[in-house]
Amino acid sequence: MNALTELAEGPDSMPAGFALEGALAQLLEAHATQQGWFVSVKDAADGRYLQVNAALAEFFGRPPDEIVGRSDAELLEPALATLLRSADQTALAHGAALTGEHRFDWRGERREWAVLRLAVHAGGRRVLCTLWQDQSAQRQRESQLKAAIEQLEQQQKANVALRRELGDHGLRDQATGLSTSAHFEDQMRRELDLSTREHREFALVYMELDAPSAKVAAFGERAQERIHEAMGRLLRGNTRAMDASCRIDERRFAVLLSGVGLATAHSRMEGLRRQCATQIVALDGQELGFTVSVGVASYPHTAQTQEGVVSACEAALTQARQRGGNAVTLASIRFGGN
């Protein structure tokens, strides 16, 4: 009579407490079968199997009755059997539940396992219960994800190289592909002249990267480069041909939205802020994140001169930072003045 059978026989042969233990043992065995986990019970004295579930028997490639009564030394190659016996002895000496990992080649395939061992007394003897969970599929998924992230990094590098090769170095920032500050200023002056003549509006946006996370700070300049590249992609993807965007310095960016009022500009920039907050930036297989603070002003509602619009936009950006970052703030609408 094996240990799990003794525990599962119920109230006719054991006290009520043992009946509950038997029900729990059956529940564990059913759950392990659904999950494909291996369950076994060994005699603590000689390491011979007293019980194995169907999944473990299938792994061994033998019916359960050919495994019960044998030890690992009789079923496995010497090196693996010695490894498992050593782990069993450690668990027996430990006394409490002990978790560990095993990695070994099995039938030409590398396998990885998380193993839980627990020594208990059952049926008048000390036994060692083990639960094996296959980690190979999870490790494979992690490896595939890492490979995908690395591939994405390579694509990002290739895109940056192509942009730098094709871009106009006199008008474009090489790191982001955005306009240089000087070119942006020229575009803003033309937009102001056009809006004044045609009595139409435009919006100015200032964006600033919020304080970096500890992970981003640890990567230093390399992380900043990737974030600048991401900002360049996001700004180019969220502006039209008639708009303009530029990198002002290491942390600040500007956007000019032609023919757009304050409400529409706020809606578009709020969408861009959310994109920044959820953007995945990959570096050395690690995912980096960033957020931005955004200030929005418009002509002629918040100011009627270039200097006034710039000043109002700066004030709105300051308010966004003061709110803790990752926010979009509108400049105040002025009535009866600049």
Side-chain angles (χ1 to χ4, degrees), residues 34-216:
Q34 290 182 342
Q35 299 296 324
W37 298 347
F38 299 167
V39 178
S40 71
V41 180
K42 294 179 180 179
D43 191 315
D46 56 18
R48 296 186 181 279
Y49 285 96
L50 303 175
Q51 174 79 18
V52 296
N53 71 340
L56 182 55
E58 182 180 352
F59 179 76
F60 276 120
R62 298 168 179 260
D65 57 4
E66 290 187 10
I67 300 174
V68 172
R70 298 188 180 188
S71 66
D72 288 325
E74 299 172 74
L75 298 168
L76 304 171
E77 62 181 24
L80 181 54
T82 300
L83 172 67
L84 298 184
R85 184 58 177 167
S86 175
D88 289 348
Q89 292 296 328
T90 300
L92 289 168
H94 185 69
L98 184 65
T99 58
E101 293 185 353
H102 288 309
R103 300 178 181 87
F104 54 82
D105 293 328
W106 182 258
R107 296 176 182 170
E109 183 181 354
R110 188 67 173 176
R111 304 295 292 269
E112 298 186 26
W113 307 90
V115 185
L116 173 66
R117 291 178 169 88
L118 176 63
V120 298
H121 286 86
R125 71 173 81 182
R126 192 170 186 233
V127 298
L128 181 67
C129 303
T130 61
L131 180 66
W132 291 62
Q133 183 178 10
D134 191 351
Q135 302 287 295
S136 303
Q138 179 179 341
R139 296 291 188 267
Q140 184 178 15
R141 288 193 297 270
E142 292 172 352
S143 177
Q144 290 172 342
L145 177 60
K146 183 177 180 180
I149 292 176
E150 290 175 350
Q151 182 179 3
L152 178 61
E153 290 181 15
Q154 293 300 321
Q155 291 173 348
Q156 290 175 347
K157 291 178 181 178
N159 290 339
V160 170
L162 180 62
R163 186 172 66 247
R164 289 175 178 175
E165 180 180 349
L166 299 178
D168 184 342
H169 292 263
L171 302 177
R172 297 286 175 182
D173 171 62
Q174 294 186 27
T176 62
L178 305 176
S179 298
T180 61
S181 294
H183 184 49
F184 184 83
E185 291 289 336
D186 289 340
Q187 291 174 293
M188 186 172 177
R189 281 191 289 270
R190 289 196 295 270
E191 183 67 27
L192 182 62
D193 291 341
L194 180 63
S195 298
T196 300
R197 291 197 307 270
E198 298 186 0
H199 305 286
R200 66 176 195 171
E201 55 192 357
F202 70 87
L204 177 65
V205 180
Y206 278 169
M207 308 179 67
E208 182 171 319
L209 294 172
D210 293 328
S213 66
K215 183 184 292 187
V216 171

Side-chain angles (χ1 to χ4, degrees), residues 5 16 182 192 247:
T5 302
L192 182 62
R247 173 185 169 188

Side-chain angles (χ1 to χ4, degrees), residues 285-296:
Q286 298 290 315
E287 296 182 6
L288 308 177
F290 67 95
T291 59
V292 294
S293 297
V294 185
V296 183

